[in-house]
Amino acid sequence: MDLFSRNIDDINNLNRQLAQKRKIVALLNRSEKELTIPGICKKVKLSVPTGTKLINELISDKIIIDSGKKETDNGRRPVLYKVDPEYAYSIGLVIQLKGISISIFNMEMNEVYSNSDENFVLENSIACLENVVGIIRQAVENSKIEPKRILGMGIGITGRVNARTGYSYNYFNFLDGSLVDFFSDKFDFPVYVDNDTHVLGLAEQYFGKARNIQNAFVLNLSRGMGLAIISNGEIIGGEQGFAGEFGHIQLGDSNRLCLCGKRGCLGTEVGGHALEQNFQEHIEQGETSLLTTNKNLSEIKYQDILKAASEGDALSISLTHNIGFKLGKALGNMINLLNPGIIIIGGGFTLARDILTDSVKSGMTHTTLSLPLRNCELMFSSTEDATIKGAGAIVFNQLQLL
C-alpha cells in the first residue's frame, strides 16, 4: 500500500471516529441525558472497547463529564456520563419590525444570557444592519463566553427568507451576497437564517406542544401573522422557503391596503396592526375605553388592547373576539386543505388566550368540515420566549445535536 492510500485510510478512519463521537454527543444531549458507558455503546451500536476509547477521548476533551453514580440494588454502582452543558453555546437572534432580542444558550438549551430592545425599529438600511452587528458583538462580550465555544448563530427575521440560500428578501436585501454571507464575514462561527414564524415552529417541535406531532399548524400571531406548517414531522418551506404566508391569503372582507401592496389580505383584518386600526376607528366614532383615560390614542399598542380585554374592557373584548372569529374562519379553510392534528397559537396574542379560544373555535365551525374539525385540537403556546429559543435551536439542529 503506497503512502497516498495509507493517508486516505487514515482520513476515512478519522472521519468515522468523528461521526461516532457525534452520535455519542447527540445521544446524550438529545434524549438520554445520562448513561453508563455500556448503555452508550448499546444505544450507538459500538463494541464496549471501541466505545470506551471514544468516550474517554470525549472526557479528555471535556465534552463529556461524570454526572454521578447509577443507583443499583446491589454491587458496584457504575458511573453515569453526560454532555457538559457549558462546553459549547449557540446564539439566538430574533429581528422583528419593532423590537430585537438576543439570547445565548448552553448545550441543554438553557438561557445563559439575554437582552432585548423594544425601541429597535427594523429598517432596510445599512445603518440598521450595522446596528444589529453591534448588538451581537455586545452580547458576546457581555456574556463573557469564549468566542471559540460558540457553535453558531440562528437568526429569525420577519419577512420572506430562503433558509437554504440565506437570503432575506424584504429586509437587508441590498447586500451583494446573502444575509448569511454578510454575518459569516463578521463573525467566526456559522450563521443560519430563517423566517421568524418557521423559527417559532421549530421551537414548538423541540420544546413545545408540537413534540412528536406529525401534522400541525403553528400560528405566529403578533403585529403580523405567519403560519408554520408541520407536515409528516417536517416544517414545510416550499420551493424558496416562503411557505406559510397566511396573512396574505385573500380571505378577508376589508379593502384596507396591505403592506404587500394588495387589498383584501387576511393580515389587514387579523393581527396586532389590524387590532390597533380597529381600536382607533371605533374610538374616533365615539366609543369609549378605559385605555384612553391613561394614554393618547396614538400611543396605544395592540398589547395594551389585549391586556385591557383580559381585564374586562368592553371595547377591547369585542374587538379581540371579532379578530378571533375571523381568524377561526380562515383557519377552517386551511384545516380542510391540510388536515392538521393540532393548531398552536403563539406570539403576542397569547395574552388574550381566554378570549380568543371560544371565538376562534366559533369561527372554525363556520368553515371546517365536521370530521377534520373533530380531530383538530386548538391550543396556545406554553413555551416561554419560544421564537428566540427556536432561533438558538437552529444551530444545534443543524449540527444534529437536538
Side-chain angles (χ1 to χ4, degrees):
M1 184 182 293
D2 60 22
L3 178 62
F4 178 77
S5 298
R6 286 200 301 274
N7 286 342
I8 292 294
D9 286 342
D10 289 343
I11 291 170
N12 288 337
N13 186 50
L14 178 60
N15 287 336
R16 186 163 50 252
Q17 289 184 20
L18 289 173
Q20 290 167 339
K21 285 182 179 179
R22 187 185 294 272
K23 283 183 180 180
I24 292 169
V25 174
L27 172 71
L28 294 175
N29 199 57
R30 183 166 50 201
S31 54
E32 300 297 339
K33 303 302 181 186
E34 296 180 336
L35 281 174
T36 63
I37 287 179
I40 294 170
C41 295
K42 182 178 179 180
K43 291 281 186 179
V44 297
K45 297 179 178 168
L46 289 172
S47 68
V48 173
T50 300
T52 301
K53 175 179 177 294
L54 295 174
I55 291 165
N56 283 333
E57 289 175 2
L58 288 168
I59 293 170
S60 178
D61 291 336
K62 298 182 179 178
I63 299 174
I64 287 178
I65 57 175
D66 179 334
S67 66
K69 303 278 189 177
K70 183 178 180 179
E71 293 296 331
T72 58
D73 293 333
N74 49 50
R76 183 179 176 184
R77 292 192 301 159
V79 177
L80 290 166
Y81 294 94
K82 69 174 185 177
V83 172
D84 181 357
E86 308 305 325
Y87 174 75
Y89 302 85
S90 73
I91 299 174
L93 177 71
V94 175
I95 307 171
Q96 298 176 316
L97 288 174
K98 293 186 177 180
I100 186 169
S101 302
I102 187 166
S103 293
I104 300 178
F105 300 91
N106 66 15
M107 294 283 285
E108 293 179 341
M109 280 305 299
N110 292 322
E111 192 177 69
V112 298
Y113 174 87
S114 68
N115 191 29
S116 61
D117 182 0
E118 294 181 359
N119 295 317
F120 173 90
V121 176
L122 179 57
E123 297 174 344
N124 193 33
S125 68
I126 189 65
C128 182
L129 184 55
E130 290 295 346
N131 183 27
V132 173
V133 171
I135 289 169
I136 298 166
R137 285 180 173 152
Q138 192 65 54
V140 173
E141 182 179 338
N142 291 347
S143 72
K144 309 298 183 184
I145 293 169
E146 295 179 70
K148 68 179 182 180
R149 293 197 178 274
I150 296 174
L151 296 178
M153 176 170 64
I155 302 173
I157 184 171
T158 189
R160 277 159 288 291
V161 176
N162 189 326
R164 290 190 294 271
T165 63
Y167 277 87
S168 171
Y169 290 87
N170 292 92
Y171 295 96
F172 310 138
N173 54 15
F174 49 79
L175 298 167
D176 292 334
S178 71
L179 190 59
V180 164
D181 293 336
F182 174 84
F183 282 116
S184 295
D185 286 340
K186 298 287 183 180
F187 301 98
D188 293 327
F189 43 72
V191 178
Y192 311 95
V193 64
D194 205 342
N195 169 268
D196 59 340
T197 298
H198 291 170
V199 169
L200 175 63
L202 184 68
E204 289 295 338
Q205 269 194 308
Y206 282 118
F207 314 111
K209 294 181 177 178
R211 291 188 73 175
N212 304 317
I213 301 295
Q214 289 297 298
N215 299 286
F217 292 164
V218 181
L219 183 70
N220 187 5
L221 187 59
S222 295
R223 176 165 292 276
M225 178 171 53
L227 186 67
I229 302 168
I230 300 173
S231 179
N232 296 323
E234 298 288 336
I235 295 177
I236 302 301
E239 183 64 26
Q240 294 175 282
F242 303 158
E245 289 290 348
F246 188 45
H248 296 288
I249 289 179
Q250 299 282 319
L251 294 176
D253 300 319
S254 171
N255 195 39
R256 287 175 180 167
L257 181 66
C258 181
L259 291 172
C260 72
K262 297 180 176 62
R263 296 183 186 275
C265 291
L266 182 64
T268 64
E269 296 187 65
V270 177
H273 183 64
L275 183 58
E276 291 172 1
Q277 286 185 294
N278 294 343
F279 185 86
Q280 184 171 347
E281 288 173 3
H282 280 260
I283 293 296
E284 289 173 349
Q285 290 167 8
E287 295 192 46
T288 59
S289 166
L290 292 175
L291 275 175
T292 56
T293 61
N294 299 317
K295 282 190 174 185
N296 293 326
L297 188 57
S298 60
E299 297 174 339
I300 294 172
K301 304 304 179 187
Y302 82 89
Q303 296 95 331
D304 300 320
I305 302 168
L306 295 175
K307 186 172 184 294
S310 66
E311 294 172 350
D313 183 66
L315 177 59
S316 300
I317 290 171
S318 175
L319 295 177
T320 303
H321 187 277
N322 187 45
I323 275 182
F325 182 77
K326 289 180 178 180
L327 172 62
K329 288 180 67 177
L331 283 171
N333 286 284
M334 297 297 291
I335 293 169
N336 291 338
L337 183 65
L338 294 171
N339 190 208
I342 63 170
I343 296 174
I344 303 165
I345 298 178
F349 270 72
T350 56
L351 285 170
R353 68 184 68 201
D354 292 338
I355 298 170
L356 284 171
T357 299
D358 289 339
S359 59
V360 172
K361 285 182 177 179
S362 179
M364 286 163 60
T365 60
H366 278 67
T367 52
T368 316
L369 294 170
S370 59
L371 281 176
L373 179 61
R374 191 181 307 159
N375 293 286
C376 181
E377 187 177 359
L378 177 70
M379 57 185 69
F380 285 79
S381 175
S382 59
T383 305
E384 190 175 350
D385 298 324
T387 308
I388 192 71
K389 199 166 187 180
I394 291 175
V395 177
F396 293 130
N397 183 53
Q398 289 286 334
L399 297 174
Q400 298 180 335
L401 295 177
L402 279 179

